[in-house]
Amino acid sequence: MEHNLEETKDYFSFATEQIFGNLESIVTDDSVDRLEIRLGVLQIIDGLSYLHNSAKMLHGNLTPDAIYVTAIKTWKIGGFSFSVNAKEPNCFPCYPWTKKLPPCLQPDLDFLAPENLAQGQSTVTSAADVFSLGVLICWIYAGGKRLIDAKNNLETYHIIVNQLDAALQCISNELGPNLKDSLSKVLSLDVVQRPAVQLLTLIKHFDDPALSALRQLDDISQMFDPSHKSHFLSHTLNQAIPNIPESIWFNRVLPRFNEQLWEQPDLYYFITKPLFHILEHCESHNIHKMKPWIRKLMENAAHNKLLRAFILENMSALFRRLSDEFVEDKCLDVIILSLKSDDTSLQSSAVRGLPHVAEYLPISFITKKLLPTIMNLPPYLQDNVPRQLDLLAALAALSDRCDVANVALLFGCISLCNSTHSVIVHAKSRIAQRLVMRDPNRLKDAQLMCVHLLNPLVTGLACDDLSKFSCAHFDDIMSSVRILLEILEQRRYEMEDRQEHKQSNHHLGLNRLGNRRVSMSSTNLPRVMISAARPSFSSDSRKMSFLSADGRLEDRGSRRESRDSRGSLESDMSIRIGNGSDISDDSCFSSHSAKGRRQSWLDNYGHSVSLEQNTNGFLETTSRNLGDRNSMNFKQRNARASERRARNRSPNAELEPHREHPPARPNSFSNLGHNIVLTYRNLMYNNKDHTYS
């Protein structure tokens, strides 16, 4: 009751709390969740227990029409038209049901206890309401189907009452085994066997942590101990929230928060976990219902250290799920405020939260506020490896948002992590690979790349504790170094190409012919697989073939686009770090005679062609033309070379381990290399013919 009864000559009036409907309309028209049904039944049991034990009253007509559901989904007992007070302890007067009166002026026959209809019965006990409660529970779980449907006929009523066990069996699937066993006692014709109403709350059917948490939430206003209340909100309720259906989140949990906790800022931190879980997992059409509470939390984050730390570490949910400019602006302010704080725990929370929100941060915020603020963190990072590792993880995520204009500031932040610990070196290696994979054009400034990326990696290779890492980690760092060196070399070539482009074609050809620059061996290439063409800083597509110092035919133009086919620079842009998948590129050599040197160089050229072009026909043809005596040795050398790793010894060194031979290193040639190869092969054919003649 919100307002007392007022009586006039025209009407009676009173005011109650807002009513959503009665049970008759809700159960039959709406689908009610099973957890909500169990909670509602417990509330009816609590109300009936209050009537019997405190008010000393018998309800007398416990039907679906007498159960009201409030706006906050609380089930309450009404309809006291036939209630009576006790004459003596547990003794209530009863009035027989008769055909002489209209049914509307009497209790509902289908929910009456059998003792109310006994001949000469003038009093009943509270067990009569217990029987009515059992029939009502069966009606609720059966979805609005009556267990006793006598249609106001006494003879039919007595027939059905004597067959209640069979009637219960018909709805056993809806009730479940635990509730069915309890109801068989509640609906017993023997009054003595019926349990007291308060004992029904102890049956196993109602033993559920989520159900218990919701009941405590309903009674949270009666929790006067602050520590008990905070523990319930942050632990008990938070653990139960995942097992509570979404409909109850918004029909019962949030209304309780609004009613009991809206004006209690000291409890805001303890409800953040349940609120963020609801925000993270609710349907999109319910997200707007969370905005008032999220705004309330953000307004108080600046004054509550624990609340701010939790928001920093779970901020990604706010960016992903909410579309609220006020909340997003508050999040940006909280990040900067925490990074500038003297509290290291808040700084750590802010740094650890950055990788999860980097993709949502505005570019202007990153370049103008975030990175300059990070540059002021050296006292926080000094000689602390875990903190530096957290910052590198954040910078790796932020690197995807930085372009050429602000990558210098990013490199400066990376250099703040100056520890030589192996995990720091490996983290910087991953950042280097990430930069190259996403957009290598950002590495145009060779000085920045060498100072902030290449130098720490090379220095880190000398760390004593690097041996604690597996070979894969060491190879990963080496691959990053090779990648950066390749980019530097490519930049050098492009600079020379731009200078030579200003000269005439004749001078360009002479300069190329006189250039003795040696190509990088494939053993020095990074062990990575890049499935798109190597990123190029220029659009120069000229191709010029030449013979490298290791005797392989290479292409100067394709060297920029695809320097070595064993690096697998093919289609799609994905990088996979290899674990020892390189193929040896050692040169074969011999010192027996000039013919042997020519043959060894030709053998090595054939081996290089087989590696780069994946063809074996040329090798087999050459081997047959060289004669039966050399054919077997050539095939054996080629098979061994294709199986060795890049760091193994050369074939001749394995055959003669005590002798050292300088490799034959022919000069680099221009695009006449193909003709030279053919000339050597023809020369070998002529020598063979002279021998036979």
Side-chain angles (χ1 to χ4, degrees), residues 187-479:
L187 298 174
S188 174
L189 300 181
D190 187 357
V191 177
V192 179
Q193 291 186 6
R194 296 176 196 166
V197 64
Q198 60 268 22
L199 297 179
L200 295 178
T201 60
L202 304 178
I203 65 177
K204 193 174 182 180
H205 178 74
F206 299 113
D207 185 13
D208 185 358
L211 188 61
S212 176
L214 289 175
R215 296 194 70 193
Q216 293 183 63
L217 183 61
D218 289 338
D219 300 331
I220 193 172
S221 60
Q222 301 178 13
M223 296 182 185
F224 301 106
D225 186 356
S227 61
H228 178 65
K229 187 181 295 186
S230 61
H231 181 272
F232 164 72
L233 292 172
S234 60
H235 293 84
T236 307
L237 182 61
N238 183 59
Q239 293 173 0
I241 280 290
N243 300 320
I244 297 176
E246 181 176 342
S247 59
I248 300 181
W249 290 348
F250 296 99
N251 292 337
R252 189 176 295 273
V253 177
L254 279 185
R256 297 299 184 277
F257 285 177
N258 297 337
E259 180 183 352
Q260 302 292 338
L261 305 175
W262 185 260
E263 300 297 336
Q264 298 189 33
D266 54 324
L267 295 177
Y268 284 174
Y269 167 70
F270 303 106
I271 62 175
T272 49
K273 290 182 180 179
L275 285 174
F276 270 71
H277 181 89
I278 294 174
L279 175 64
E280 187 74 42
H281 297 89
C282 70
E283 296 290 340
S284 58
H285 62 272
N286 285 324
I287 292 179
H288 71 279
K289 300 177 183 178
M290 300 295 301
K291 287 186 178 181
W293 265 110
I294 299 300
R295 288 189 173 192
K296 195 75 171 177
L297 296 178
M298 296 306 301
E299 290 174 355
N300 289 268
H303 313 293
N304 191 322
K305 174 183 173 182
L306 295 176
L307 178 60
R308 195 196 315 176
F310 181 86
I311 290 176
L312 286 169
E313 296 181 0
N314 298 271
M315 193 176 290
S316 60
L318 302 180
F319 284 97
R320 283 187 291 103
R321 303 287 287 169
L322 284 178
S323 298
D324 193 313
E325 293 184 1
F326 174 82
V327 173
E328 292 178 0
D329 292 341
K330 286 292 184 181
C331 287
L332 301 182
D333 294 340
V334 166
I335 292 175
I336 299 300
L337 183 64
S338 301
L339 289 175
K340 292 181 178 180
S341 173
D342 295 332
D343 192 328
T344 57
S345 62
L346 287 177
Q347 290 177 313
S348 298
S349 298
V351 171
R352 286 194 297 266
L354 285 176
H356 306 291
V357 299
E359 59 180 307
Y360 308 108
L361 300 179
I363 296 295
S364 59
F365 171 77
I366 294 176
T367 56
K368 296 180 180 179
K369 291 185 177 181
L370 182 57
L371 292 180
T373 303
I374 292 177
M375 290 297 295
N376 296 324
L377 289 180
Y380 164 78
L381 300 170
Q382 186 175 5
D383 299 330
N384 194 308
V385 173
R387 293 177 182 177
Q388 293 187 17
L389 195 61
D390 290 339
L391 180 59
L392 288 175
L395 294 175
L398 292 173
S399 66
D400 299 338
R401 309 295 310 282
C402 296
D403 53 16
V404 178
N406 48 52
V407 74
L409 189 57
L410 176 72
F411 285 164
C413 295
I414 294 175
S415 295
L416 296 179
C417 305
N418 52 13
S419 173
T420 57
H421 194 279
S422 54
V423 296
I424 301 298
V425 177
H426 185 250
K428 291 183 178 181
S429 169
R430 286 297 183 179
I431 293 178
Q433 295 176 12
R434 190 165 183 163
L435 288 168
V436 173
M437 181 182 70
R438 297 299 175 93
D439 185 9
N441 290 317
R442 295 177 292 179
L443 302 179
K444 284 187 174 182
D445 194 324
Q447 182 178 2
L448 285 176
M449 183 176 65
C450 291
V451 172
H452 298 288
L453 290 180
L454 186 59
N455 182 48
L457 295 182
V458 175
T459 305
L461 291 174
C463 294
D464 295 335
D465 59 346
L466 194 64
S467 59
K468 298 179 182 179
F469 274 81
S470 62
C471 293
H473 289 88
F474 181 82
D475 291 345
D476 186 64
I477 299 174
M478 289 296 298
S479 297

Side-chain angles (χ1 to χ4, degrees), residues 554-570:
E554 294 191 13
D555 187 272
R556 179 62 53 82
S558 64
R559 195 169 177 272
R560 288 185 294 269
E561 301 291 331
S562 179
R563 190 179 308 279
D564 190 346
S565 62
R566 281 175 297 169
S568 301
L569 307 179
E570 301 167 358

Side-chain angles (χ1 to χ4, degrees), residues 9-10 41 46 86 120-121 135 139 160 188 257 295 372 390 437 450 476 486 489 536 543 559 570 640 643 654:
K9 63 179 182 179
D10 297 322
V41 170
D46 291 339
Q121 187 79 21
V135 178
W139 179 89
I160 297 175
S188 174
F257 285 177
R295 288 189 173 192
D390 290 339
M437 181 182 70
C450 291
D476 186 64
E486 283 284 290
E489 184 185 29
S536 177
K543 295 183 179 179
R559 195 169 177 272
E570 301 167 358
R640 287 194 300 269
E643 296 175 357
E654 291 183 357

Side-chain angles (χ1 to χ4, degrees), residues 93-193:
C94 72
Y95 303 95
W97 201 92
T98 176
K99 297 180 180 179
K100 298 178 181 180
L101 292 176
C104 62
L105 299 179
Q106 301 181 81
D108 194 328
L109 180 61
D110 294 339
F111 291 88
L112 274 181
E115 57 266 28
N116 282 283
L117 306 177
Q119 292 292 335
Q121 187 79 21
S122 61
T123 61
V124 293
T125 65
S126 59
D129 275 352
V130 173
F131 183 91
S132 300
L133 176 63
V135 178
L136 178 61
I137 292 175
C138 292
W139 179 89
I140 295 172
Y141 278 85
K145 297 179 181 179
R146 297 196 173 206
L147 185 67
I148 302 173
D149 191 6
K151 301 186 185 303
N152 297 319
N153 187 292
L154 288 175
E155 290 76 10
T156 305
Y157 173 85
H158 287 295
I159 293 173
I160 297 175
V161 165
N162 291 323
Q163 299 177 358
L164 286 179
D165 290 340
L168 281 176
Q169 188 63 34
C170 293
I171 59 172
S172 58
N173 292 335
E174 289 82 0
L175 297 176
N178 295 323
L179 184 58
K180 177 179 175 295
D181 293 341
S182 300
L183 287 178
S184 63
K185 297 179 181 179
V186 171
L187 298 174
S188 174
L189 300 181
D190 187 357
V191 177
V192 179
Q193 291 186 6

